[in-house]
Amino acid sequence: MRLTLTALAGLTFAGLAAPAFAQDIEAGAKTFNQCQTCHVVQNEAGETLAGKNAKTGPNLYGVVGRVAGSLEGFKYGAGIEELKATGYVWTEADLAVYVQDPTKFLVEKTGDKKAKSKMMFKLKKEEDAKNVVAFLASLAPAADAAATDAAAPAEGAVTE
């Protein structure tokens, strides 16, 4: 019994000593500077939340949780169109993998060895990829709504 408790305590301590990877939204905002040459994050109201109105790549507002290749008015490459046909929805984890090697990601997800991405840029570091995706997720429609809700008085609240 003593050995079991010692082992359990050791595992618990090891978990505390080596925390899971935590995304850094602020670092992701800095990393996004590399992405803004091609991408913008612009909400439905037309407000630019990040980037410089670049149109080479699609608007990344709400990309996490969106069906791949589904942004109206943007002409995607064949690889993303093939992924879209499967109904694939972007997750934070997969988007972080995609930005590190877009073509490899498409080949793996579609099973098409000839699948290619029009996105030539790759984030070399996994940490940068996770951080930039966390940054994009922080600018998502749900995040905007939460910020608006937090700023608005509660229904029935007295305001001065």
Side-chain angles (χ1 to χ4, degrees):
M1 179 70 163
R2 173 179 253 179
L3 179 60
T4 304
L5 291 175
T6 304
L8 183 58
L11 288 173
T12 303
F13 178 76
L16 294 174
F21 179 83
Q23 288 78 33
D24 184 338
I25 292 171
E26 189 173 314
K30 290 178 185 172
T31 300
F32 185 78
N33 288 333
Q34 299 173 54
C35 309
Q36 70 184 358
T37 302
C38 298
H39 296 279
V40 67
V41 181
Q42 192 173 61
N43 67 15
E44 296 96 351
E47 300 168 311
T48 299
L49 306 176
K52 299 179 181 178
N53 289 323
K55 304 268 191 249
T56 303
N59 178 358
L60 297 178
Y61 181 71
V63 67
V64 175
R66 181 167 73 204
V67 172
S70 66
L71 183 67
E72 290 292 320
F74 187 80
K75 185 170 172 43
Y76 292 93
I80 290 289
E81 289 291 343
E82 190 173 351
L83 187 61
K84 175 185 176 181
T86 70
Y88 174 80
V89 175
W90 287 115
T91 65
E92 286 185 55
D94 277 353
L95 194 56
V97 173
Y98 176 80
V99 299
Q100 289 177 86
D101 193 338
T103 296
K104 180 180 176 186
F105 179 87
L106 290 175
V107 167
E108 289 175 0
K109 287 293 180 183
T110 65
D112 179 357
K113 293 180 181 180
K114 294 181 182 179
K116 293 190 180 189
S117 174
K118 288 171 47 176
M119 185 169 133
M120 302 309 292
F121 181 78
K122 299 176 184 179
L123 286 174
K124 293 177 179 141
K125 297 179 182 175
E126 181 180 8
E127 182 178 354
D128 287 345
K130 288 181 178 182
N131 288 342
V132 81
V133 171
F135 170 68
L136 291 172
S138 78
L139 300 176
D144 276 0
T148 302
D149 291 347
E155 187 175 324
V158 176
T159 58
E160 294 181 30

